[in-house]
Amino acid sequence: MRIYIIGNDGITLCREPPAAVNEGEIVVASSEELNAARLSGKRLLALWNALPGVEKRRKVADRDALIEKLWSAIEMLPDPQSDAKRPSKQEEVIAMLRRAGGATVDEVVSATGWQRHTVRGVFSGTLKKKLGLTLASVKEKRGRVYRIAEPARA
């Protein structure tokens, strides 16, 4: 179920009804609830103009028509991102280096957006010294390929 919280800073999409609502916020789940909220024309106009990709308006001609258009635009808003934590860049780099094919410095640069010297610093400082990982490198057709070497078994 999509629930919208209309506050002073815009519209927030939620999956669950909020436990508490701050002063000045309105919770709506349908166009009827939005209409019943009796927002001022000025507030409706501000909400409309804050939506992405809409033609900005200067005045409210027909309140009911504006509420209907506003509701349609609100329902087109993308779903909120899940609460699942995105892996850090360091975790992404480690995953790349654990792949069978390994990774070149340029591949890590493309994946992280870091500079080449930053990638080399992460390899030597963070991965080798701080985390104690063993990096192996081999010259291949695509360049120098780095991999995390598996520890020797005793």
Side-chain angles (χ1 to χ4, degrees), residues 8-106:
N8 294 329
D9 56 347
I11 302 169
T12 306
L13 175 59
C14 303
R15 293 229 181 262
E16 304 284 326
V21 180
N22 296 329
E23 187 178 338
E25 291 183 336
I26 300 166
V27 179
V28 294
S30 67
S31 62
E32 292 79 22
E33 290 178 8
L34 180 61
N35 204 3
R38 303 306 299 170
L39 295 167
S40 69
K42 186 177 181 180
R43 182 110 183 253
L44 286 171
L45 206 54
L47 290 170
W48 173 261
N49 288 334
L51 291 171
V54 298
E55 188 176 320
K56 307 297 182 208
R57 295 176 147 207
R58 291 184 182 203
K59 62 182 184 175
V60 179
D62 180 4
R63 186 179 194 284
D64 292 332
L66 179 58
I67 288 175
E68 197 167 312
K69 281 186 162 191
L70 180 62
W71 183 255
S72 295
I74 289 171
E75 285 194 309
M76 299 304 291
L77 291 172
D79 284 341
Q81 298 299 317
S82 70
D83 293 339
K85 183 182 170 203
R86 182 179 170 269
S88 68
K89 288 184 180 182
Q90 179 179 309
E91 291 168 336
E92 288 179 30
V93 170
I94 291 172
M96 291 176 76
L97 296 173
R98 289 191 188 223
R99 295 184 309 205
T104 65
V105 169
D106 288 333

Side-chain angles (χ1 to χ4, degrees), residues 82-153:
S82 70
D83 293 339
K85 183 182 170 203
R86 182 179 170 269
S88 68
K89 288 184 180 182
Q90 179 179 309
E91 291 168 336
E92 288 179 30
V93 170
I94 291 172
M96 291 176 76
L97 296 173
R98 289 191 188 223
R99 295 184 309 205
T104 65
V105 169
D106 288 333
E107 290 168 350
V108 175
V109 165
S110 295
T112 60
W114 291 339
Q115 302 270 335
R116 293 176 56 83
H117 65 271
T118 304
V119 172
R120 290 189 299 271
V122 166
F123 284 1
S124 67
T126 303
L127 301 181
K128 286 180 165 181
K129 293 177 184 171
K130 287 185 180 174
L131 298 178
L133 298 172
T134 304
L135 288 183
S137 71
V138 177
K139 186 81 170 159
E140 294 181 1
K141 282 185 180 180
R142 59 185 177 146
R144 184 154 298 276
V145 177
Y146 295 87
R147 292 178 184 80
I148 294 178
E150 294 301 320
R153 301 205 173 144

